[in-house]
Amino acid sequence: MPELNLVLLGPPGSGKGTQGERLQEDLRLPYYATGDILRAAVREGTELGRTAKEYMDRGDLVPDEVIVGAIAERIDSEEAADGFILDGFPRTVPQAEALAAKLDELGRGLTGVLLIDADDDEVMRRLGGRRTCVENGHVFHVDFNPPEREGVCDVDGGELVVRDDDKPEVIRHRLDQYHAKTEPLIEFYDHQSLLRRIDGAAAPDEVADELSRTLSTLKLEADEAI
Ligand code: AP5
């Protein structure tokens, strides 16, 4: 069985976290979401968290060297030997180059990069209504995916809050950062024939179905390449 090394790419609020949670259950692979890793570090008050907080609150990307090491050590771990799902990394061309170098060093490579796309207006609507569980980061939306009890996470009963970077002016800045620094990765990975485009504007179940079909094709291609 070939390993499955996947990247979820896309603008803030396109549904990477929503779909990543489902993929993690379906594929039983470790799921590394850099936003979740950084928010946990902020909560725990580690050096990584103290460095990252001011960038995150402004909606800026944290410096490449801060995040690259955190991902490299996870990819190199025993639990990721059969594959992994990355969400929110890489986000710049230097991060993508660092990831390629690390995988190369381990004699591995990416299986596919899944671009979940949505336009800026849709992102503003989604992030404006997002509620996030303080315990484990499960996400809900006041209109599109409301919790059964207002303010309470359906999964683990944690409190649902508005993320500090989900204020309208910060969302706009995060979108600017995405267009300037992350969007060039679309061409970067398309050029390597790794990119697969998923319409993130569809309903969550339809996005999940399209992802599932795309993964089946990727697995077939990986099998044939052995
Ligand atoms: P991060 O946490 O990664 O934020 P993001 O990429 O901006 O992504 P989001 O979590 O906002 O959105 P999502 O695509 O996961 O959407 P979701 O599923 O929640 O990063 C935060 C910060 O950390 C960055 O700004 C940066 O500072 C730093 N950082 C992280 N990684 C970094 C890196 N590699 N380098 C440097 N800095 C880094 O969905 C959004 C909402 O829409 C939810 O309410 C959901 O219920 C709803 N929804 C989802 N899908 C649908 C649908 N199909 N239809 C209707 N509603 C939907």
Side-chain angles (χ1 to χ4, degrees), residues 10-19 31 33-36 38-39 52 55-57 59-64 67 71 87-92 95 122 126-127 129-132 139-142 144-145 163 165-166 174 200-205 207:
S14 66
K16 303 180 298 296
T18 301
Q19 299 299 330
Y31 168 63
T34 39
D36 291 348
L38 291 171
R39 277 184 292 278
Y55 293 95
M56 296 175 79
D57 285 350
D60 280 328
L61 297 184
V62 306
D64 292 334
I67 196 73
I71 286 298
D87 169 357
F89 184 94
R91 245 176 166 102
T92 63
Q95 288 181 19
E122 182 67 16
R126 288 188 185 178
L127 295 187
R130 174 163 65 181
R131 298 293 179 269
T132 304
V139 291
F140 297 85
H141 191 282
V142 290
F144 307 138
N145 176 27
R163 253 169 57 177
D165 59 351
D166 278 350
R174 285 163 63 199
D205 286 346
V207 179

